[in-house]
Amino acid sequence: MLDKIQIVKPAEIEKRSMEIITSELNGRTWPEPEFSIVKRCIHTSADFDYADNLCFSENAANIGVEALKNGAHIVTDTRMAWSGINKKKLASFGGEAHCFMSDEDVAKEAKERGCTRAAICMERGAALAEKENVIFAIGNAPTALIRLYELIKEGKLNPALIIGAPVGFVNVVESKELIMEAGVPFIVPKGRKGGSNIAATICNAMLYQL
Amino acid sequence: MLDKIQIVKPAEIEKRSMEIITSELNGRTWPEPEFSIVKRCIHTSADFDYADNLCFSENAANIGVEALKNGAHIVTDTRMAWSGINKKKLASFGGEAHCFMSDEDVAKEAKERGCTRAAICMERGAALAEKENVIFAIGNAPTALIRLYELIKEGKLNPALIIGAPVGFVNVVESKELIMEAGVPFIVPKGRKGGSNIAATICNAMLYQL
C-alpha cells in the first residue's frame, strides 16, 4: 500500500500543488496578487469553485498587501480563522491578529443588547481601527458583515480591506452583496461558500507576497 | 440594501440551514448519526460534494459517538482543527483536544529525524492512546495519516476512530486510501477535499449526538 505514496519533500509539496492547480485551471489567469489568492483558496479547499466565485473590488488585493506591509492588524470573527493566519509573518511587519469572540465581556454585551457576539466584535474592531490600519477577515458570521456595513455607513469605520467569506445558507449571500456595496475595498467569494479556512488563507496569500 | 436580510434569531439559523440542506439533498438520507455528519460537513463548507465523498467504515459514526461519551480524547494535526472543536462539550464527557504541532520539541525532533512535524505529533498521539481512548482528527497532513497507518501496522496503535480529512493535491488521495485499509474505524471524505474545518465539524457532529 505504501508504495503508492510519492516521496516529496515538505517544501516541494506546496510547489507541486500549485503547479497542479495552475494546470487544472486550463490557462485561466488573473493579475497578481489576485492569482495567488485564487490559487491559495483552491489549495485550501481543493474546490475549483473559488476560481469562479472570488470577487475583488478594484485593486483590492494590492491594497491588502500594501496595508499588511505597513503593519495592518487583522480582526477575525472566529478562533479558527485567527489560528489559520500566519501570525509570525504578520508580526514581522508590525501587525497583529485579533479575535474578540471568546472575550467574556463580548458575550455579556451581546446578551444585554440582544445582538450576536460577532456584531459586538466588529465594534471592537472598529475601535481598534481608530488607531490602527485594520483588515477584517470574516469567515463565519453574516451578522459581522452586516454590522461592518452599518458602521461604515454611519461613518464610524473606514477599514483597509474587508475579506467577506462567511459560509452557509441563511443571510450569507445577502450579507456578501451588502458588503460589496459598502464602498470599501473587498475580497468576497460570492455565493454560499467561504469559511474560516478561506478567510485565513486569503490573509496568508497576501502576506506571502511580501 | 439591509431589507434583503432575513431577521432570524441566532438559534434559528442553524435549524433553518439544516432544513435547507435536507431539502436540497432531494430525499437522500443516511442512518444516524452518519446523516448528521454529512449535513454538518455541508453546513461548514456549503459544498454538497460531501454527500458523495464521505466514507464510513462499518458503524464508524456510532463508534465515535460512544467513544466521546466515554471520555475519548481527540488529537488533531492543526491548531485550526483544534480551535474548531467544541472543547467545552468534549470536556463535559471527560475528553480533551490536543494538538502538538506548535510544541518546540516536536519541531526539533522532526528536524533531527528528517520527517514532518505531523508524523511526530501522531507518535505523541499514539503515546497518549496507551492511556486514553483517542480519536485522531486529521485535517491537513497526509504524512499524519501515513504515520498512523504505520503505527497501526506495527501494532503500536489501536485508535478509537480516525477522521482522515487532509485536503490537497499531493499524496492526499493516496493517504486516505491507505488509512481506509488500516483495519480501524474511519470517517474519510474520499478524494482531494477535506480540511481542518471538516475534521473539526465531524468531531462536533458526533459530540452533538450526546
Side-chain angles (χ1 to χ4, degrees), chain A residues 77 101 114-119 140-146 166-175 192, chain B residues 5-22 39-40 42-44:
Chain A
D77 67 329
M101 287 295 283
C115 62
T116 66
R117 285 186 298 151
N140 181 52
T143 54
L145 287 189
I146 295 166
V167 56
F169 298 85
V170 176
N171 285 339
V172 166
V173 171
E174 295 80 358
S175 71
R192 289 170 166 179
Chain B
I5 303 290
Q6 306 171 54
I7 308 298
V8 189
K9 285 183 192 159
E12 281 291 303
I13 289 177
E14 186 172 305
K15 190 169 164 269
R16 180 91 59 101
S17 301
M18 291 302 178
E19 286 166 2
I20 295 169
I21 293 166
T22 304
K39 282 190 286 186
R40 199 159 280 275
I42 296 170
H43 180 253
T44 288

Side-chain angles (χ1 to χ4, degrees), chain A residues 93-104:
Chain A
F93 298 97
E96 202 181 315
H98 307 265
C99 176
F100 306 110
M101 287 295 283
S102 335
D103 294 7
E104 260 180 47

Side-chain angles (χ1 to χ4, degrees), chain B residues 41-61:
Chain B
C41 285
I42 296 170
H43 180 253
T44 288
S45 61
D47 187 346
F48 280 84
D49 279 4
Y50 287 97
D52 297 313
N53 68 24
L54 276 167
C55 299
F56 300 87
S57 65
E58 198 186 336
N59 213 26

Side-chain angles (χ1 to χ4, degrees), chain A residues 1 4-6 16 21 24 44-47 80 83-84 167 169-171 174 178 181 192-193 197, chain B residues 1 4-6 16 21 24 44-47 80 83-84 167 169-171 174 178 181 192-193 197:
Chain A
M1 286 298 294
K4 288 188 192 161
I5 303 291
Q6 304 172 57
R16 180 93 57 100
I21 293 166
E24 296 193 17
T44 288
S45 61
D47 187 346
M80 278 191 84
S83 294
V167 56
F169 298 85
V170 176
N171 285 339
E174 295 80 358
L178 199 63
E181 298 293 332
R192 289 170 166 179
K193 288 185 178 177
N197 51 343
Chain B
M1 286 298 294
K4 287 188 191 159
I5 303 290
Q6 306 171 54
R16 180 91 59 101
I21 293 166
E24 295 192 18
T44 288
S45 61
D47 187 346
M80 278 190 83
S83 294
V167 57
F169 298 86
V170 177
N171 285 339
E174 295 80 359
L178 199 63
E181 298 292 331
R192 289 169 166 180
K193 288 186 178 177
N197 52 343

Side-chain angles (χ1 to χ4, degrees), chain B residues 65-116:
Chain B
V65 172
E66 199 60 25
L68 291 167
K69 193 175 155 191
N70 293 319
H73 289 229
I74 300 175
V75 171
T76 73
D77 66 330
T78 64
R79 292 303 294 180
M80 278 190 83
W82 184 90
S83 294
I85 292 168
N86 188 329
K87 289 172 286 295
K88 207 169 167 181
K89 182 101 183 167
L90 180 63
S92 73
F93 298 97
E96 203 181 316
H98 308 264
C99 176
F100 307 110
M101 287 296 282
S102 336
D103 295 5
E104 260 179 47
D105 55 342
V106 166
K108 192 165 164 275
E109 188 172 341
K111 205 174 172 184
E112 280 166 9
R113 289 173 48 192
C115 62
T116 66

